[in-house]
Amino acid sequence: MQKTELCIFCGARPNFIKVAPIIRVINKLAEENSPHKVTYSLVYAGLADDPTLEDELFDNLSIRRPDAYLGVECENLNELTGQVMSKFEQYLQSHPTDVVIVVDDLASTMAAAIVTKKQAITLAHIAAGTRSFDITMPKEINRLVIDGLSDILFTAGFSNNSIANKEGAELSKVYMVGNILIDNIRYNRERVEGMRLNDIDALAGLPLKEGCYIVFTLNRKALLADQENLEKMLRVLCETAGDLPIIAPLRDSAVQVIMALGLKKNISLHNLHIVKPLNYLQFAYLTSHAQGVVTDSGNVAEEATFNNIPCITLNSYTEHIETVKVGSNVLVGEDAELLRSAFADMVSGTWKKCGIPDRWDGRSAERIVQILLEHR
């Protein structure tokens, strides 16, 4: 019997959402008594008591909590990189591993990638080939390093494949497997569709009807830091929405900025309803039954694309251009007037025709695991 030992590395909460489908496929293989035995360890760069990793997240994703925590916690990215490299090296030296799987483009992900190759272990990168083409962004440097080191690059779409190939990656190393986020949507479809708005405690008392509200998320530090421009965008949202409720599940940092702006600049926030962050399934339900979504999150835009929900992204680029070319996403950058025009279309129900990008079929994890087994 062939045996493959995987190490799945996560640097932050969103990474768990992207690796969960792979873990479920591995668990299924074990249940089916596959001739190829695959085992895995789930390693988290952060603390065991990280408040962003609530038990509910792992229950929603049907995976176990991490097997190991590196315990790294610091704001400085260079310091973080060094600590992750040191601790992940110690982990790999004491845990035999055939393949390390990393996700996305965090500093901790880059650190894990460097250590993996120094230990002469096969490195696989999920969500490879994403670029902003802005070398001043720390994440862009991370992406270049991780892709350059990876032995296997798993991409979500043709544009990502093209980028990886143009930068010198061999064709035999690059595999377009589709968007792995979609695997979770398909997996949880029955659980999500079995929910109702009044089942979500955080929304209690709000005047909501399915398909008659907007979801607004805000997390990017650059947007929160430019308060003058954020004020303009908040005014546009609240004025253009009219009587349409805007539901904003926001973390404390964003709430504090918005509430302070509202008081300081006398912005009417009568239709902006700020609620506590929702769990994974609740948020999936809220966005999939909205009239539209306004966000600065690429992951949220990708899920809106699959659900065919009109989406406005507050950024000038997207790592997955197919969400714009094929899907329901529109980029407005950080321009309040572009936001006004697009948001008016969203509120009035006049949106572009949309489709689902190729291989966004909920089987990305199956393809990834099969390729890893063949590679062995």
Side-chain angles (χ1 to χ4, degrees), residues 15-311:
N15 290 172
F16 290 101
I17 298 171
K18 290 189 176 180
V19 302
I22 295 173
I23 292 172
R24 293 195 297 265
V25 170
I26 293 171
N27 291 339
K28 186 178 179 182
L29 286 176
E31 293 171 2
E32 295 173 348
N33 293 316
S34 168
H36 195 132
K37 182 176 177 58
V38 183
T39 60
Y40 76 93
S41 60
L42 184 59
V43 177
Y44 180 50
L47 303 172
D49 60 355
D50 186 331
T52 68
L53 303 186
E54 70 279 10
D55 288 337
E56 205 168 19
L57 170 66
F58 299 97
D59 291 339
N60 288 170
L61 296 172
S62 299
I63 63 173
R64 68 183 186 231
R65 291 188 67 91
D67 302 292
Y69 298 84
L70 300 186
V72 176
E73 182 186 37
C74 56
E75 290 293 327
N76 184 282
L77 293 181
N78 290 328
E79 183 181 352
L80 182 147
T81 300
Q83 287 190 29
V84 172
M85 288 182 67
S86 174
K87 294 188 177 184
F88 191 51
E89 180 181 54
Q90 293 174 29
Y91 176 85
L92 289 180
Q93 288 175 344
S94 59
H95 294 79
T97 302
D98 297 309
V99 181
V100 171
I101 299 174
V102 297
V103 192
D104 289 337
D105 50 18
L106 302 173
S108 55
T109 310
M110 179 184 68
I114 293 171
V115 171
T116 299
K117 293 314 299 174
K118 286 189 173 184
Q119 296 293 311
I121 297 171
T122 299
L123 176 66
H125 184 202
I126 295 173
T130 60
R131 297 288 185 276
S132 67
F133 301 105
D134 180 358
I135 200 64
T136 65
M137 291 179 60
K139 284 189 176 182
E140 186 74 353
I141 297 171
N142 299 342
R143 294 164 184 158
L144 290 165
V145 172
I146 299 164
D147 279 355
L149 292 174
S150 294
D151 301 288
I152 307 172
L153 294 88
F154 294 119
T155 67
F158 288 113
S159 61
N160 308 124
N161 262 43
S162 177
I163 289 168
N165 293 146
K166 284 180 179 178
E167 292 180 355
E170 298 175 14
L171 288 172
S172 59
K173 294 171 59 176
V174 183
Y175 300 88
M176 195 186 90
V177 294
N179 192 327
I180 199 163
L181 282 177
I182 309 310
D183 292 36
N184 286 316
I185 297 177
R186 286 197 179 278
Y187 176 77
N188 284 310
R189 173 165 284 172
E190 288 187 12
R191 284 200 285 177
V192 170
E193 289 304 316
M195 300 172 67
R196 293 293 178 266
L197 284 171
N198 57 13
D199 294 332
I200 303 175
D201 292 341
L203 306 180
L206 296 181
L208 301 181
K209 293 182 180 179
E210 288 190 2
C212 298
Y213 59 86
I214 301 295
V215 176
F216 173 52
T217 76
L218 182 66
N219 190 55
R220 283 176 57 214
K221 291 181 180 178
L223 282 173
L224 292 170
D226 189 350
Q227 294 192 12
E228 182 178 348
N229 194 51
L230 181 58
E231 175 199 343
K232 295 177 183 177
M233 291 194 287
L234 287 173
R235 288 189 186 277
V236 165
L237 287 175
C238 294
E239 291 170 3
T240 309
D243 295 328
L244 197 64
I246 304 172
I247 310 304
L250 301 176
R251 300 203 177 274
D252 288 344
S253 57
V255 173
Q256 291 171 11
V257 172
I258 289 175
M259 296 309 294
L261 268 179
L263 293 172
K264 183 179 178 181
K265 299 294 184 178
N266 194 29
I267 305 173
S268 174
L269 303 175
H270 69 285
N271 49 3
L272 179 66
H273 304 281
I274 297 176
V275 300
K276 293 181 179 179
L278 305 178
N279 69 37
Y280 177 77
L281 293 181
Q282 291 172 339
F283 187 73
Y285 178 85
L286 187 71
T287 54
S288 63
H289 290 80
Q291 181 168 329
V293 175
V294 180
T295 184
D296 60 358
S297 165
N299 288 352
V300 173
E302 291 160 38
E303 292 175 0
T305 287
F306 180 76
N307 290 318
N308 204 24
I309 300 295
C311 180

Side-chain angles (χ1 to χ4, degrees), residues 354-375:
C354 315
I356 298 176
D358 190 37
R359 294 200 183 180
W360 286 34
D361 57 2
R363 301 188 63 184
S364 296
E366 293 176 27
R367 287 189 276 267
I368 287 171
V369 171
Q370 185 59 43
I371 290 165
L372 288 174
L373 295 182
E374 291 173 355
H375 190 271

